[in-house]
Structure formats: structure tokens, C-alpha cells
Amino acid sequence: MPDWLEKAVFYEIYPQSYIDSNGDGIGDLPGILKKLEYFQYLGINAVWLNPCFMSPFKDAGYDVSDFYQVAPRYGTNADLQTLFVEARRLGIRILLDLVPGHTSTECAWFKESCQAERNIYTDWYIWTNSIWTWNAPGVQTVIGYSERDGNYITNFFHFQPALNYGFAKPDPNQPWQQPVDAPGPQAVRRELKNIMKFWLDLGASGFRVDMAGSLVKNDPGCQETARLWHELRTWLDTEYPEAALVSEWSDPTVAIPAGFHMDFLLPFASPAYQALFAMKKIEAASQDVSGSCFFDPVRPGDIQRFLDSYLPLYQATRGKGFIVIPSGNHDTTPRLGNGRTPRDLALVFLFLLTIPGVPFIHYGDEIGMRSPDGLKSKEGGYGRTGARTPMQWDGSPNAGFSSAPRDQLYLPVEDSPTRPNVAAQRPIEDSLLNQVRQLIALRLAHPALCASGTFDPLYAEEGKLPFVYLRQQGEEKILVAINPSAQPCEIALDLEPSREQPECLYGEAAAFRQAGTQWRVHLPGVSGSVYRL
Ligand code: GLC
Ligand code: CA
């Protein structure tokens, strides 16, 4: 386990939307390089950079056409290397986005694979043995794409053909389903390792792995996919022990034993996440899966709903890897900022930055950016597009994102006179931005609050508030209390009285009181408090 993860605080950067340095309307790497000062100010020490590789950008770069080349719209490989080096000089590590499961149909490997004549790429993708074999169970196929007599399997959109990692249980009646140890799948594995090696050697600190659980097909329990990651992790541990892997899997009980250091709970797939924030399912945007979520100031839901699904995952993975509850990501609308005040958001961050595991902040969430509704889809964004709008740096018409004419921006900036921005919040002491900074600094200053400090809910009662939990590491014990409701709350806490006067580290100074042999916790509406015992 790379040591640095214990104190890592990540920031997700969508390169096309962060900052444009050359006025073409698209964010780029030289732009990001100029923002290292902002990363330091904010206090983050790690970045997840969404895909920045060659691509026709039909899925915003998750359709890679050359895994070894930065897309010209973002800069050059040299620009990326400079960013790695300069960031590292400031103690900031950068993870790239690795898309192992599929390529673009524009990838040279796929074009070769489309040929009717056999060549070395023939078995790099999954093709049925004839175009008439099209209703393969459990997979999606594209029919009659080339002169090759077969249909290819896709992973996501139709232009993202699945690389061939084989089938865990190939159907003997479907000889085109190759076992994982067949030459094609083995060659693809070797290539995946080459790609990882290439970027690690250039200075990347690891990878966020796209659709990490999807590689081997017909793989009940993902056993063969897990074996593949285990092999790669074993290799990393010897060759690149400082490199970190975080998976888009949303099943830490599988992803972490498989070899990932961290796994995301995905907003659209994780009941734990939805118990906190009531996201909408992407597959059924109209179907609200909320019930009522905990961070709802009007009618907060029970924290027990979160704990019921989170605690088993936490207990199963403790000491082995970290769970990531991100503030959001490029796939998730609405953003947390929609329908929440800065005060609500500061409380959300108090939680996200004091729970175990590794925090990830989606760019712009630190200032409360909102995802606009009704945007025209861009590069395969569809309902996700609102989470990808330009970062809001200042109050100028393009929000300081770009000097390009407004109609040439990658996506429109949120069109609202009240849109938040960095320049306005920096000088204000209790702005959301400054509270997030303070919370990051607080986390980093206290081992109990860092990734592997233990987590024990002390007060989590149905229909009652606040939620109180204890974090502990070594000698240090820290209590956190959270009241998401607009109403004040007061409870008695079942906890040993402490000998010394506890110290308020953040938030409501009078929240915890020792009254005789008891503790009392009192919190005003929408507030929280952090105390050291
Ligand atoms: C992941 C990415 C998403 C992309 C998809 C296909 O879910 O986060 O943006 O469209 O994989 O690669
Ligand atoms: Ca640019």
C-alpha cells in the first residue's frame, strides 16, 4: 500500500472544462499547470485527470484511439510530463484515467481487427464467428460493421468495441468465445501492462480505472477479472510500489481483494451513496431513488440507511484498502450544489472530509458549482453533461475559463447571475471554498481523521439527530457530530467522561458538554462540530 494514500485528498479534473490556456475554448494541460498554485491553496495533494489521450471524442475521450499519445487539444506528452514533474515538486501526485476495457473504433488495433484477413489484431477484440451470430447472451453486439464476417462486442456505446480479455466460462457451442489464457486475451493483457508502464515511467502516480470490473466476459462473481487485476497489482507492487490504483467498480468487497487500493462508491449505483445524497439513477433518470436522504435540510433521512450498506463494506475492507465516497464526478447530475446552500454544502464536506477512506472532490464542488439542466449533449454526455461545464474562476463572462468567444466554449458556463466563483470566495473567510480548505487542512493535521483511522458510529438513531461518530488512530480520538436538519437538536451521549477539557477543532464551539457523568451534544440547524477528546 503506497504510504501517501493515508493522507491523500484527491481532486478530479475534467481537462476539457478546467482552464483554457490558448483561447480555443477547450481546457488544456498548460492551463492546468498554471493552476498548481490553486491546488496548493486548496490543499489537495492528488489529482485524478479524466482521459487526455488521442480520441475522436464521441464519449469525451473514453473512446481512446491511441493510448500512448496525449490528444493535441490538450497539449503534448511533454506537457503532461511537465505537469507530472512540477506537481510532484509541490507534493501533488497525478493519476491518469486508464480505459482498459475498450478502445475507439478509430483505434489502429481495431481497424486491423476489422480486416477479413487474419492478422495480429484479429483476436484483440471479441468478434462472433459470423455476422449471423448476433444474439449472444449477456453482451451487446454491432452487426455488419466491416468485411470481417462477424459482429463485435461493445462495452458501452456502439463505437467502443470491447478488448478481448476472454470469457471466464466460454460457451463450448460458441467457439468464438475464447478462454482467458488464449493468445489474443494474453496479448491484450501484455499491452495493458505496457500502457501502464509507459505513463508511470513518464511520471504518473497511478490510475483511476474505468469500468474495472468489466474486462473478462461471462465471469460470475468477477473472479477472472479479479485474477487479472491481482496479477497487475503484484507486478506494480514490485516495479512501482508508490503507484496507486482506484477502481470504478462500486463493489469494494470484490475490487479491493482483487488488488485495487481504493474503490469508488458510484453515485448512480451505490445504495450507501444514495442514502446520503439522493442521486438519480442514470438508467432511469426519471426514477427518483431517494426515499429521503440524510443530507436533506428539510426532511433528513435516517443515517441508519447509510450505515446499513456502508458498514459491511467498511468492515470487510478495513486494513486492506480504502472506500471512496466522492463529492460527485463527471457522470453524475445533479451536482451536490444543486438545491443546497453553501451552509448545507459545508456540512456535506465536513462529513466527506472526516470519514475513513480517501476523499475525492469533483472540480467545482469546492465552490458549490451547480449542474445546469437542459444542456445540449456534448461528446456523448447526454444527462451527464451538466456535471462537465467549465470551472468558474471569476465573475467575467466566461468565468475566467477561456478567452474564446462565448459560443466557442467546450460547454456553456452556467448561465446564472448567482453562479459561484473562486475569485469571489477566496477573500471571504467563511465562504464555502475557505471552509473546504479548512476541512482539508484539519484532516491532514489529524491522524485520527485520515484514511485508516477507525470509524465508530456513536449515535445513529432512527428519526433522531445528530449523527455522531468517533475516529481514532493511535492516541488520538476525535468526535464528529452532524446535524443536517434546519432544526436544532440535543441529545445525551453514552460516552466515558474525559479527564481533560475536550478541544473544539472545527465548527460549533459549544456542541459537546460534559454534564456530570454524561455528555450532551447540542447543535443548531445545519451545523456540525469536530472535537478532540
Ligand atoms: C465510465 C466513465 C464514463 C464513460 C464510460 C465508458 O463509466 O466514467 O464517463 O462514458 O465509463 O468508458
Ligand atoms: Ca485550449
Side-chain angles (χ1 to χ4, degrees), residues 67-68 98-101 109 124 163 165 186-198 207 209 215 228-229 232 235:
F67 288 88
Y68 296 95
L98 180 67
V99 189
W109 309 337
W124 277 42
L163 282 161
Y165 292 90
Q186 287 298 315
V188 172
R189 267 185 205 218
R190 281 195 297 277
E191 190 66 27
L192 176 57
K193 209 178 200 175
N194 290 341
I195 296 167
M196 292 169 76
K197 186 169 164 43
F198 180 81
F207 303 94
V209 180
L215 303 190
L228 184 157
W229 286 116
L232 286 166
W235 163 71

Side-chain angles (χ1 to χ4, degrees), residues 46-106:
V47 166
W48 154 28
L49 193 62
N50 289 97
C52 56
F53 314 107
M54 289 284 268
S55 165
F57 293 106
K58 292 181 181 173
D59 183 15
Y62 283 95
D63 48 333
V64 180
S65 57
D66 183 344
F67 288 88
Y68 296 95
Q69 199 69 49
V70 165
R73 75 185 201 182
Y74 298 133
T76 62
N77 285 17
D79 290 330
L80 185 52
Q81 187 174 23
T82 306
L83 182 62
F84 289 147
V85 171
E86 294 302 317
R88 223 14 237 292
R89 218 198 285 284
L90 303 174
I92 299 166
R93 290 176 163 86
I94 298 180
L95 264 59
L96 296 179
D97 209 316
L98 180 67
V99 189
H102 45 269
T103 71
S104 158
T105 45
E106 298 301 304

